[in-house]
Amino acid sequence: MTAKIIDGKAVAAGVRQECRQRVDVLKKKFGVSPGLAVIMVGEDPASAVYVRKKIQACADVGIDSRKFLFPADVEQSAVIDKIAELSANPSINGILVQLPLPKHFDVKAVLGAIDQEKDVDGFHLYNVGGLVIGDTVFPPCTPYGVMLMLDSAGVEVSGRNAVVVGASNIVGKPMALMLMQREATVSVCHAKTRDLAQFTILADILIVAAGYPNLITAPMVKSGAVVIDVGINRLANGQLVGDCDFEGVSRRASMITPVPGGVGPMTVTMLLVNTINSAERSLNAAGHQPMLGRSTCAATSGV
């Protein structure tokens, strides 16, 4: 068996085309340009790359983006003041604080300062809590993108055994909640899980977001499983790999995502979707009806 590749670039391209159409309607019909504010503290090289990709993606679909850079030694209060200013700015529909933050920051306090109606990363307590009851406003972008990839590949989630490896607040936990909302039977594994293979071998859908290269090998995967590799790791030779042994696992799985080119493009793309959704929600609150029947990417996420 050779696994079918779930091409994140192709799925993302389709979603972005839809985003362009929605932005075009907002601009031409309502005179509204969706706006995203990105806050970055310090000069972490990886964060700088991610921020640049997000800014480029905004330009690609017509979203106005504004970048706010702070030195690593800035006081937390200055960043929170900027968040308050942006939260009150009607031209800003989304606020994103690039993580990680310097050690002297209280991450929960910073994320909690974002207006819940502009929390397009989906990290605010309001949106996280909404996941529990299946009624969040802005789903976290990475698991949101994974759900869309599963849908685009025609993967049935309901009634399947799903195993999530990794229990982070950004990916693992919200991923499990989204799968549960779609009536999957979900197990969550983490760093303290003993005998990881006894869980992964039972998975019809295996989602790996642990941050360890080649953590999942072929004998750990059920024949015919759908494998979504969220991990991205840079080896000593500069090669980017996921958390799975791609060559080995692809001979056991029915479908698999590559690294790079799998989940990564979807994460940035779902940020665009959330920002546009926020702009449309603002117009709806003002008594307008800009929605194009609601985006398929929002409708199929299962949240």
Side-chain angles (χ1 to χ4, degrees), residues 150-273:
L150 291 173
D151 287 336
S152 70
V155 176
E156 179 63 46
V157 175
S158 177
R160 299 295 181 90
N161 290 330
V163 174
V164 180
V165 180
S168 71
N169 292 333
I170 295 174
V171 180
K173 291 176 185 176
M175 188 79 258
L177 289 167
M178 289 186 186
L179 289 164
M180 289 174 64
Q181 184 65 22
R182 294 282 288 273
E183 299 182 320
T185 300
V186 182
S187 298
V188 180
C189 301
H190 46 76
K192 296 295 180 68
T193 298
R194 292 182 293 178
D195 194 3
L196 179 62
Q198 71 174 329
F199 293 93
T200 60
I201 198 68
L202 298 176
D204 301 308
I205 301 171
L206 177 60
I207 299 174
V208 191
Y212 294 95
N214 298 319
L215 175 68
I216 304 298
T217 57
M220 301 171 70
V221 178
K222 179 181 179 180
S223 180
V226 175
V227 180
I228 306 293
D229 193 346
V230 183
I232 183 164
N233 311 281
R234 188 175 295 277
L235 302 181
N237 63 4
Q239 181 184 4
L240 287 178
V241 298
D243 289 352
C244 298
D245 169 18
F246 182 82
E247 295 300 325
V249 171
S250 63
R251 290 193 291 268
R252 299 262 309 168
S254 62
M255 300 183 190
I256 191 171
T257 58
V259 177
V263 177
M266 294 301 299
T267 297
V268 177
T269 298
M270 302 323 288
L271 172 66
L272 306 178
V273 171

